[in-house]
């Protein structure tokens, strides 16, 4: 079901943000980090969110607004704002990706400046995910009928093969997929 896919993707994103948090802690401890891995994570968060994750959520949210928004003024307004928030998150992610790419091209970016930007990036992403998970998805889950779920799922026609967590790993994310699998092994 679509909501399970969205929640699974949120879980993937939380795992990636945890890796970024570890990188941030390394920076703050003045330890070196792998900036190309940071780039892969931010690139994945950007491209996967724009091509798959946010469009899927937008279908869900738009359907809710059209069918239940008039009855639910509070959540309807919050859900309507999420579409704008997706656009803003995308812009901020691209900006941060540009900074990481500058570092990889040997531009000098002071560590304290980068550290602050990485912290902000992690916080904004996490706040967005937490809001959807704790405030929005439970309301939709409680409200939607089987007919509603069938209607939204019929609008989603894309493949959900994830380029990092799926069966086929995209070449540009091989390092990230390997790191994610290492993290999985560390948890055992």
């Amino acid at each position: 079901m679509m909501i399970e896919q969205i929640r699974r993707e949120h879980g993937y994103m939380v795992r990636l943000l945890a890796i970024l948090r570890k990188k941030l802690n390394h920076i703050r401890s003045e330890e070196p980090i792998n900036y190309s891995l940071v780039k892969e994570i931010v690139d994945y968060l950007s491209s996967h969110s724009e091509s798959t994750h946010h469009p899927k959520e937008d279908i869900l949210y738009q359907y809710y607004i059209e069918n239940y928004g008039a009855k639910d003024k509070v959540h309807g307004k919050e859900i309507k704002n999420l579409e704008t928030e997706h656009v803003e998150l995308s812009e901020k992610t691209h900006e941060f990706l540009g900074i990481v790419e500058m570092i990889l091209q040997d531009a000098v970016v002071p560590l304290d400046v980068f550290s602050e930007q990485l912290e902000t990036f992690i916080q904004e992403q996490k706040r967005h995910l937490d809001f959807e998970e704790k405030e929005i998805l439970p309301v939709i889950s409680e409200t939607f009928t089987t007919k509603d779920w069938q209607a939204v799922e019929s609008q989603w026609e894309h493949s959900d093969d994830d380029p990092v967590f799926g069966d086929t790993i995209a070449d540009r994310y091989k390092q990230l997929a390997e790191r994610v699998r290492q993290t999985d092994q560390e948890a055992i």
Side-chain angles (χ1 to χ4, degrees):
M1 224 158 77
M2 184 182 277
I3 197 158
E4 281 119 11
Q5 292 170 341
I6 290 170
R7 284 196 160 126
R8 184 171 44 251
E9 291 167 359
H10 283 174
Y12 297 157
M13 292 174 197
V14 167
R15 288 169 63 187
L16 296 176
L17 293 174
I19 293 171
L20 288 179
R21 174 69 62 194
K22 286 180 183 177
K23 300 299 178 197
L24 177 62
N25 291 336
H26 287 299
I27 291 169
R28 290 183 173 156
S29 299
E30 298 182 3
E31 299 171 32
I33 67 165
N34 180 343
Y35 285 96
S36 65
L37 179 62
V38 172
K39 178 186 182 261
E40 283 187 32
I41 292 172
V42 178
D43 180 66
Y44 168 83
L45 290 171
S46 173
S47 64
H48 189 265
S49 290
E50 289 173 20
S51 67
T52 304
H53 184 72
H54 288 159
K56 194 182 304 169
E57 287 179 332
D58 291 343
I59 289 170
L60 193 65
Y61 300 159
Q62 190 60 42
Y63 184 91
Y64 183 89
I65 291 165
E66 289 171 5
N67 293 277
Y68 299 99
K71 299 176 207 163
D72 184 356
K73 299 289 186 202
V74 174
H75 293 108
K77 184 175 182 191
E78 291 174 339
I79 291 172
K80 193 169 187 159
N81 290 339
L82 282 172
E83 211 169 326
T84 303
E85 191 169 307
H86 285 166
V87 171
E88 291 169 357
L89 270 176
S90 175
E91 291 169 358
K92 290 176 182 178
T93 301
H94 281 281
E95 287 173 19
F96 184 65
L97 183 58
I99 293 165
V100 176
E101 288 172 342
M102 287 172 47
I103 291 171
L104 288 169
Q105 294 172 10
D106 295 327
V108 176
V109 177
L111 277 181
D112 60 327
V113 171
F114 181 74
S115 173
E116 187 178 307
Q117 291 170 334
L118 179 55
E119 174 74 35
T120 300
F121 177 79
I122 294 167
Q123 286 177 351
E124 288 175 349
Q125 295 283 326
K126 186 78 169 88
R127 183 202 51 76
H128 176 78
L129 291 169
D130 287 347
F131 179 69
E132 287 179 328
E133 280 293 324
K134 294 175 183 171
E135 302 295 325
I136 301 304
L137 294 180
V139 169
I140 290 173
S141 291
E142 291 171 15
T143 305
F144 275 19
T145 66
T146 302
K147 182 181 165 206
D148 294 327
W149 287 115
Q150 290 169 344
V152 294
E153 291 190 26
S154 71
Q155 295 177 50
W156 183 250
E157 298 173 2
H158 294 73
S159 165
D160 281 324
D161 190 29
D162 191 283
V164 172
F165 297 92
D167 294 330
T168 305
I169 306 303
D171 286 340
R172 72 189 215 196
Y173 297 125
K174 294 234 183 260
Q175 177 181 219
L176 176 55
E178 180 60 33
R179 179 63 180 97
V180 166
R181 281 158 183 69
Q182 286 174 359
T183 304
D184 289 345
Q185 293 301 316
E186 291 168 6
I188 294 175

